[in-house]
Amino acid sequence: MLTLICGAHLYTPTPHGKMDVLIAGSKIVDLQKKINIDSNTNIKVIDGTGCILTPGFVDSLVHITGGGGEAGFASRTPEMNLTDATLHGITTVVAALGTDSSSRTLTNLVAKAKGLKELGLNVFCHTGSYHLPAKTLTGSITDDLMYIDEFIGVGEVAISDHRSSQPTVQQLAELAAQAKVAGMLSGKKGTVSIHVGPVDTHLSILHDIEQQTDISLAQFYPTHMNRNKALLDAGIEFCKGGGTIDFTTSTTEYDLANGEYAAARALAYCLDQGVDKTKLTMSSDGHASLPIFDADFNLIGLEVGKEASLHDSFVEAVNVHGVSIEHALMAITSNPANVLGLKKGNIAINTDADLVLMDSQSLKPTHVWSQGSLMVDNGFAVIKGPFE
Ligand code: ZN
């Protein structure tokens, strides 16, 4: 099956002006100013006039099996559905367990990932969870990464958080070393995703590891870095040392009122501060519980993270904070793909046809393709999970 997308402004995420894009099967097979097709060819033509065409979004942290449980069993959040991602332009998700790695398991995570992959989404997983020693599926981090296709890294391991296992420099360095070597052996990156909590030790354990071992900051990928201004500034130092930082787009009025920078604002702030534009990413933390604590860390409420917030924050970065479409797109396409070692988030000949067509004024997705399959047509999900 051939699909020709005509006349849209192409962002790969670098802007290229008006380009035609030809999809055959799951791949992009041609990119030119004008692609002429024999009128006898069986081809679906999509008119992209007045639209921008971008890579499918890469959401680098989603709790696909649900998270939470921090206010008892009734507070465990539900699993994600396919269209929670696709309707909002997301074609790749990276899944992880969260605080709860007892009732939430890695077997369930991989099974859910396989289910979403059967429906056409690109899904990768982290082994391990918040706590050290890390939970694994096979009994070792090395074997998980080497023999289970879905696993690409470890995490999210919690630091600077009252819910963490209070990992030591030695423990976290050993984990990162295992992930790095297993990644080398299996052709993966073995990135360690780090959940950074609100405690003002910030990223100091990662800098300690860098100073005391030969593990670089680039091995770690800290998220929730827009939690407050002080953490954001610690993140800027981390980027200067060669690391990449992630901002969480799901938020609550409570968090914003308590010093959190909205992800779009954090992105604009870091770009203004001269941070390398390839070192900044945004992720949704979708289906996480968003606990609301009082000053003594007592839980007083819960909300659920939404994958849709990734696209909302992209739009906010462009429309409210004046970030260029290119730089805002990099934060949700090529940058997260690069830090995690995924061949995603970029449009070129022979790459997977993961694409989003958006109205160039509203930036609302009208068409979404994942591996060449049309998932969203004129704003409506044409492929859904069996229980949606
Ligand atoms: Zn987290």
Side-chain angles (χ1 to χ4, degrees), residues 86-170:
T86 53
L87 278 172
H88 308 284
I90 297 164
T91 56
T92 298
V93 302
V94 179
L97 298 178
T99 317
D100 176 5
S101 57
S102 180
S103 83
R104 310 286 190 183
T105 63
L106 291 169
T107 45
N108 188 30
L109 191 77
V110 172
K112 176 71 181 178
K114 287 182 185 294
L116 289 168
K117 285 164 73 175
E118 283 179 10
L119 297 170
L121 199 66
N122 302 285
V123 188
F124 302 92
C125 299
H126 288 311
T127 184
S129 68
Y130 258 38
H131 301 129
L132 299 184
K135 286 269 170 85
T136 65
L137 204 147
T138 62
S140 93
I141 294 286
T142 306
D143 288 356
D144 277 11
L145 282 169
M146 285 185 67
Y147 302 115
I148 296 171
D149 288 346
E150 284 81 5
F151 286 137
I152 55 157
V154 185
E156 45 174 330
V157 178
I159 64 168
S160 299
D161 194 301
H162 64 285
R163 292 164 292 173
S164 79
S165 59
Q166 314 300 329
T168 64
V169 168
Q170 182 64 25

Side-chain angles (χ1 to χ4, degrees), residues 66-383:
E70 286 145 321
F73 291 104
S75 69
R76 297 165 80 255
T77 65
E79 291 194 352
M80 80 166 261
N81 284 312
L82 176 71
T83 61
D84 292 330
T86 53
L87 278 172
H88 308 284
I90 297 164
T91 56
T92 298
V93 302
V94 179
L97 298 178
T99 317
D100 176 5
S101 57
S102 180
S103 83
R104 310 286 190 183
T105 63
L106 291 169
T107 45
N108 188 30
L109 191 77
V110 172
K112 176 71 181 178
K114 287 182 185 294
L116 289 168
K117 285 164 73 175
E118 283 179 10
L119 297 170
L121 199 66
N122 302 285
V123 188
F124 302 92
C125 299
H126 288 311
T127 184
S129 68
Y130 258 38
H131 301 129
L132 299 184
K135 286 269 170 85
T136 65
L137 204 147
T138 62
S140 93
I141 294 286
T142 306
D143 288 356
D144 277 11
L145 282 169
M146 285 185 67
Y147 302 115
I148 296 171
D149 288 346
E150 284 81 5
F151 286 137
I152 55 157
V154 185
E156 45 174 330
V157 178
I159 64 168
S160 299
D161 194 301
H162 64 285
R163 292 164 292 173
S164 79
S165 59
Q166 314 300 329
T168 64
V169 168
Q170 182 64 25
Q171 278 180 315
L172 194 51
E174 276 175 20
L175 179 85
Q178 278 175 23
K180 186 180 174 190
V181 174
M184 288 164 65
L185 294 171
S186 57
K188 298 171 181 176
K189 197 99 178 252
T191 305
V192 181
S193 163
I194 300 286
H195 161 106
V196 188
V199 180
D200 62 11
T201 44
H202 300 150
L203 303 178
S204 59
I205 189 171
L206 304 183
H207 291 285
D208 290 346
I209 290 170
E210 195 217 11
Q211 279 156 21
Q212 295 171 31
T213 72
D214 59 1
I215 296 165
S216 76
L217 296 182
Q219 192 71 33
F220 300 102
Y221 182 27
T223 186
H224 315 314
M225 293 302 295
N226 50 322
R227 198 181 281 285
N228 57 56
K229 172 79 164 45
L231 184 58
L232 195 50
D233 288 334
I236 290 175
E237 287 307 306
F238 185 81
C239 291
K240 285 180 185 160
T244 298
I245 57 172
D246 183 63
F247 307 129
T248 301
T249 57
S250 288
T251 190
T252 62
E253 290 303 320
Y254 170 85
D255 287 326
L256 293 172
N258 282 276
E260 181 173 307
Y261 269 44
R265 182 181 171 211
L267 177 66
Y269 173 75
C270 289
L271 290 168
D272 282 349
Q273 297 291 311
V275 176
D276 181 344
K277 60 185 183 296
T278 68
K279 302 288 184 195
L280 303 167
T281 75
M282 299 194 288
S283 67
S284 73
D285 205 9
H287 282 77
S289 70
L290 302 175
I292 302 172
F293 297 105
D294 68 14
D296 299 319
F297 292 140
N298 297 309
L299 188 84
I300 53 171
L302 277 172
E303 295 185 21
V304 178
K306 291 189 174 60
E307 290 76 6
S309 64
L310 192 70
H311 173 262
D312 293 344
S313 296
F314 159 70
V315 175
E316 185 185 334
V318 173
N319 287 347
V320 179
H321 299 285
V323 176
S324 69
I325 289 176
E326 178 189 10
H327 293 167
L329 275 176
M330 286 170 71
I332 56 171
T333 59
S334 55
N335 294 354
N338 288 342
V339 67
L340 293 165
L342 306 177
K343 293 188 185 83
K344 293 287 177 185
N346 177 25
I347 297 175
I349 290 174
N350 277 331
T351 58
D352 289 342
D354 300 333
L355 297 164
V356 185
L357 191 66
M358 284 181 261
D359 181 273
S360 57
Q361 295 305 310
S362 68
L363 298 177
K364 214 173 149 23
T366 60
H367 295 72
V368 178
W369 292 263
S370 183
Q371 292 187 41
S373 291
L374 185 65
M375 312 297 279
V376 175
D377 187 2
N378 275 312
F380 291 97
V382 287
I383 298 181

